[in-house]
Amino acid sequence: MPLKGFKYPDGETVSIENVLKGDVDLERMGVSLPTLLHMSEQRPNDRPPSTTELLIGTCQAYLQRTADYYISPQDNAFALAGTLHHLKLEKSADGLERLLPELALKYEDITGIVDLYDSKTKTLTDYKNTGSYKISQLLGLQYKMINHPTEVYKRGGKWGRVGSPKRIKEWYANPEKADFGDWGWQINWYRLLLEKSGYPVEEMYVQATVRDGGIQMARERGIDKNIYLIPVPFIHDDHLIEKFLDKRDLLNDSLLNNDLPSMCDSEETWGGKKCEMYCPVREVCPYINKEIMNNGY
């Protein structure tokens, strides 16, 4: 299990072993002990590839299984919030026979956990905690300028004459501009997992809770709700199988041969931004760590 421990804000590290013994400066770390204990949980390295693991770059997935690395609790705050969010909704679904939460499934040696399947409506729902920018992409939000129904400009300028109606943005969803990115692939693969396990799926939804809902930045993006239930378009099974089995084979071959995969591509690294700030193994990645590169990679 390559995750070795946590980084204090000043960069010093503490091992998981010491965290488990309670030998950690919590005030200095800035989080509680249960938070660190939860973030310390890891799955066995010999597990089959998971759906989400195959949607990140193969190099990142490989390093997270094979390289020793440390993480900052601050960098994992939203992941923790998402986990708690899922647990609450999972508990709420218990007791109603038609609702099947947290279904653990496998197909072609690829695992996945479906957040919710409604056997009555044959509906798959995936829960997400995300920002308003992502929601605007999912909805394909665009705007046109219209006249405000009551307000006028009190002073003139390039925006209009004194007394003329104020111009405001009117937001609308354009399905042709909707971009689900990896979420579309993930949720469709979950659909395939369900169907291969005998659960027919007629509709798919992502229920997204907006982390920055209600603030000005979200409103400026046309986001006026805190929770959205958004239909997910279907992707043909042939495309799903080709994508996921190719990624499965790449990861398995790299792990079997202890062979570093190629550098994650631009799409997988968000144009390099993920490498700069968000990838948990960026400090041990030979492709972005100059010191390691100079040692032979």
Side-chain angles (χ1 to χ4, degrees), residues 28-29 112 226 251:
R28 183 179 163 204
M29 187 67 76
N226 293 329
L251 179 57

Side-chain angles (χ1 to χ4, degrees), residues 42-274:
Q42 298 184 76
R43 293 172 292 172
N45 268 355
D46 58 354
R47 68 188 185 277
S50 70
T51 303
T52 52
E53 191 174 28
L54 296 180
L55 287 170
I56 61 176
T58 304
C59 182
Q60 178 187 341
Y62 173 84
L63 290 173
Q64 285 183 215
R65 289 206 189 200
T66 61
D68 294 340
Y69 67 100
Y70 293 81
I71 61 172
S72 165
Q74 298 298 327
D75 291 343
N76 288 268
F78 291 132
L80 175 62
T83 299
L84 297 176
H85 181 95
H86 279 68
L87 290 173
K88 290 287 187 180
L89 293 172
E90 177 188 354
K91 185 176 181 181
S92 297
D94 287 342
L96 196 56
E97 188 174 348
R98 61 183 272 188
L99 299 180
L100 304 177
E102 294 294 300
L103 276 175
L105 304 171
K106 183 165 71 170
Y107 176 68
E108 293 288 359
D109 207 35
I110 300 171
T111 62
I113 299 178
V114 176
D115 289 342
L116 181 67
Y117 176 72
D118 188 328
S119 60
K120 180 178 180 180
T121 61
K122 300 178 175 59
T123 298
L124 182 169
T125 302
D126 195 73
Y127 302 129
K128 302 291 188 186
N129 270 3
T130 191
S132 57
Y133 178 75
K134 180 67 175 182
I135 299 294
S136 68
Q137 289 182 309
L138 296 177
L139 296 172
L141 286 185
Q142 295 182 290
Y143 68 86
K144 58 184 178 181
M145 300 303 295
I146 63 171
N147 292 334
H148 194 284
T150 59
E151 295 183 10
V152 298
Y153 292 116
K154 296 181 180 179
R155 60 187 181 88
K158 60 182 180 180
W159 49 83
R161 300 188 305 274
V162 174
S164 63
K166 281 188 175 181
R167 300 285 287 170
I168 59 173
K169 293 177 180 179
E170 181 178 67
W171 292 92
Y172 64 96
N174 182 350
E176 294 183 357
K177 297 292 185 180
D179 181 8
F180 282 79
D182 280 348
W183 289 5
W185 290 104
Q186 177 191 13
I187 295 168
N188 270 274
W189 184 259
Y190 288 162
R191 170 186 60 79
L192 188 143
L193 289 178
L194 283 166
E195 291 174 342
K196 295 297 183 181
S197 300
Y199 301 100
V201 178
E202 295 183 359
E203 294 179 297
M204 300 177 289
Y205 293 93
V206 55
Q207 179 175 298
T209 300
V210 191
R211 287 197 298 257
D212 54 346
I215 69 172
Q216 182 177 353
M217 180 61 74
R219 292 192 294 269
E220 289 178 352
R221 291 172 172 152
I223 304 302
D224 56 6
K225 301 177 184 177
N226 293 329
I227 300 178
Y228 284 83
L229 188 64
I230 305 171
V232 179
F234 280 69
I235 298 175
H236 195 281
D237 287 358
D238 289 348
H239 299 311
L240 294 170
I241 291 171
E242 180 181 11
K243 180 181 180 70
F244 279 91
L245 268 58
D246 283 351
K247 292 292 291 287
R248 178 204 63 186
D249 292 344
L250 281 171
L251 179 57
N252 283 340
D253 288 347
S254 295
L255 292 170
L256 179 64
N257 299 309
N258 194 27
D259 184 25
L260 180 72
S262 300
M263 184 176 183
C264 304
D265 63 32
S266 179
E267 182 179 355
E268 292 165 340
T269 63
W270 315 333
K273 187 176 181 180
K274 188 176 186 180

